């Protein structure tokens, strides 16, 4: 009996087996990479797709192979003995179809139940990643784009963390721009003693900022003062620094409010943090010969781009480009990140392409994209209003984000009350469930489609209890929990003593789907696509419904096994919810 491989997900295990088979089939092609995919047709669970391409390579050199199909047949014959596979067949021009063994599938699931879902976590080959997300600008508009960045970034961080990567969650807040000159000068003008007295109401920073912009456009003297204020601030003048830090503190409190609601953990390292590193970073870039002068500014020209990166403005100031270069340098050299991920709207793609390109030219990053350290821009589409235009607001955006969450919660609470839950549950239960469902609905709606597509914000759609919504999925989970509760059995005892089998076709389908969880998370990590997990979760829920429709659980002869399958499904669903930043509910 050959030693059974057990490390890795199903696909990786099959890759290991087919690797052996390919080596035996064509020993003179040692570098072949097994191409394994899950089956789309009904012939098997997975398939190996190497035969056709391989035949093209070896044509003429190995006369025993007359066509691709004969290569496929040999690959199948040469597969090592394994308890993992029940049967194999060759289809068409040499696809090797694999049917996995039910007993093996059942054993893997049972093992997960006793050892924990963490044993199904993919193992990525990197140690540390930085996810730069949310990153609103102080005193400027905090728009839904930042909400998207917060939701997507949090999930990206979570799937990497689950996969064994240390993640530094970075809030790259815009706390160092020219907006401060105008704002501070404006506030000094209107509230001369504001810095020293705490009771002056400057909470509505955005309104002040808008006024200060107007003032600066209308009044040349003010404009000049504002420009001087930036210089004073950046030069470390105490009064200006104090004003700046108070402004930042006000914004920080507002942002924190949103993060707490969303249950998002993030650490602020704003633009200002990197300021001290700018001179030496520029010196380094200059030594590499990357910086040239253009119209009084210092720039880095990027091949194929219309505009260069501006690293020192004509007035001597630094800007967004400069800070991002300094931050990238810091993240690579001080924080030693293997993978740096930037989550912003698709509109900033070009900015990041240019920054990454410069970093490659400077030798900070390897030229090949598949080598580490690596940088990736995770872009996303717009959130649209019902009118098809950018989703926007009348009043202050920060408040509105909170309002949005409030409304989602209120609506879901209302729906729960309509279903009579207020008489069944305590006020606290009602509230917590409404929150989980409401916030979950907003998040899931944001994550469920490929992030690059735009979507229309619509409460009715996101709160529907059918289709691809958090509500439907949370219901499915709660239903499974209720089946287990109603059995009256102690599931922990069953996990220890019971045996799980997958004899019914629908049990087998569900079981296979459960085992694919690990591959799915890995795929989501590789392409940084949370929607892959959403689709998986939805599919899982459908497979469960199919199983539950055709297989009696409580009171059946297979009760123990089926309860274990229910528990495994609920466990995987909960992990998916967690990765998506959604709080699971146990009754609904
Ligand atoms: N503050 C920027 C904005 O609101 C996003 C910052 C993204 N991160 C970065 N390192 N540039 O558009």
């Amino acid at each position: 009996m050959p030693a059974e491989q057990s490390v890795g997900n199903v696909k990786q295990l099959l890759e290991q087996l087919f690797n052996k088979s390919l080596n035996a089939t064509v020993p003179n092609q040692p570098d072949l990479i097994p191409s394994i995919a899950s089956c789309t047709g009904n012939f098997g669970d997975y398939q190996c797709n190497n035969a056709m391409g391989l035949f093209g390579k070896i044509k003429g050199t190995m006369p025993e192979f007359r066509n691709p199909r004969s290569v496929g047949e040999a690959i199948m014959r040469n597969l090592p003995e394994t308890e993992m596979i029940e049967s194999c067949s060759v289809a068409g021009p040499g696809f090797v179809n694999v049917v996995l063994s039910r007993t093996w599938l059942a054993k893997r699931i049972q093992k997960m139940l006793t050892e924990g879902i963490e044993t199904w976590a993919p193992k990525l080959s990197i140690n540390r990643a930085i996810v730069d997300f949310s990153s609103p600008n102080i005193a400027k508009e905090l728009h839904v784009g930042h909400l998207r960045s917060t939701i997507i970034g949090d999930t990206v961080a979570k799937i990497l963390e689950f996969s064994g990567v240390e993640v530094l969650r970075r809030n790259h807040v815009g706390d160092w721009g020219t907006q401060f000159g105008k704002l501070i000068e404006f506030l000094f003008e209107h509230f001369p003693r504001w810095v020293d007295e705490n009771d002056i109401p400057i909470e509505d920073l955005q309104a002040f900022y808008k006024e200060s912009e107007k003032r600066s456009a209308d009044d040349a003297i003010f404009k000049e003062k504002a420009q001087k204020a930036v210089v004073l601030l950046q030069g470390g003048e105490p009064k200006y620094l104090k004003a700046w830090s108070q402004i930042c503190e006000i914004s920080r409190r507002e942002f924190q409010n949103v993060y707490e609601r969303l249950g998002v953990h993030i650490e602020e390292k704003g633009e200002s943090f990197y300021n001290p590193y700018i001179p030496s970073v520029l010196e380094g870039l200059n030594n590499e010969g990357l910086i040239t002068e253009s119209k009084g500014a210092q720039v880095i020209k990027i091949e194929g781009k219309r505009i260069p990166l501006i690293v020192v403005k004509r007035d001597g100031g630094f800007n967004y480009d400069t800070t991002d270069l300094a931050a990238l340098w810091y993240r690579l050299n001080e924080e030693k990140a293997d993978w740096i991920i930037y989550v912003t709207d698709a509109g900033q793609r070009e900015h990041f392409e240019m920054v990454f390109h410069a970093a490659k030219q400077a030798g900070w990053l390897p030229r090949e994209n598949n080598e580490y350290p690596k940088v990736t821009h995770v872009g996303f589409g717009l959130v649209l209003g019902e009118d098809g235009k950018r989703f926007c607001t009348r009043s202050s955006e920060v408040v509105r984000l909170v309002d949005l969450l409030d409304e989602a919660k209120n609506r879901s609470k209302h729906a729960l009350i309509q279903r009579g839950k207020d008489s069944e549950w305590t006020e606290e239960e009602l509230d917590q469930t409404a929150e989980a469902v409401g916030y979950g609905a907003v998040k899931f709606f944001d994550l469920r489609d490929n992030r690059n597509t735009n979507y229309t914000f619509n409460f009715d759609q996101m709160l529907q209890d059918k289709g691809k919504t958090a509500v439907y999925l949370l219901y499915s989970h709660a239903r499974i929990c209720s089946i287990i509760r109603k059995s009256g059995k102690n599931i922990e005892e069953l996990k220890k003593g019971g045996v799980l089998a997958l004899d019914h076709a629908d049990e087998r389908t569900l079981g296979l789907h459960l085992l694919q969880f690990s591959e799915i998370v890995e795929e989501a990590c590789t392409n940084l696509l949370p929607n892959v997990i959403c689709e998986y979760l939805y599919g899982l829920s459908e497979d469960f419904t199919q199983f539950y429709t055709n297989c009696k659980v409580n009171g059946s002869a297979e009760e123990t096994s089926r309860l274990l399958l229910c528990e495994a499904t609920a466990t995987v669903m909960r992990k998916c919810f967690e990765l998506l930043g959604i709080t699971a509910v146990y009754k609904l």
Side-chain angles (χ1 to χ4, degrees), residues 132 134-137 143 146 172-174 271 320 324 331 342-345 348 351-352:
D132 174 324
S134 194
S135 308
N137 301 318
H143 48 77
H146 293 120
H172 192 84
V173 295
E271 291 179 3
Y320 195 52
D324 259 327
R331 289 163 177 184
Y342 298 81
V343 188
T344 77
D345 61 283
Q348 295 199 34
H351 163 75
F352 287 107

Side-chain angles (χ1 to χ4, degrees), residues 58-95:
I58 58 171
K59 215 178 211 153
T61 64
M62 297 180 80
E64 63 267 46
F65 298 125
R66 277 161 299 119
N67 49 35
R69 196 180 165 96
S70 63
V71 179
E73 277 156 2
I75 296 175
M76 179 172 92
R77 262 197 320 275
N78 287 324
L79 268 177
E81 274 277 344
T82 167
E83 64 161 308
M84 184 177 175
I85 296 177
E86 194 167 282
S87 66
C88 283
S89 59
V90 175
F95 299 114

Side-chain angles (χ1 to χ4, degrees), residues 372-414:
Y372 293 99
K374 192 164 92 170
V375 287
T376 306
H377 175 233
V378 168
F380 50 80
L382 299 173
V383 185
L384 305 173
E386 292 298 338
D387 56 1
K389 297 203 189 104
R390 239 175 221 271
F391 190 59
C392 60
T393 71
R394 279 168 293 138
S395 60
S396 149
E397 289 278 344
V398 180
V399 176
R400 208 165 143 278
L401 280 183
V402 175
D403 287 350
L404 220 69
L405 296 171
D406 275 346
E407 173 144 10
K409 178 183 169 179
N410 289 340
R411 285 183 183 230
S412 68
K413 191 168 179 175
H414 184 71

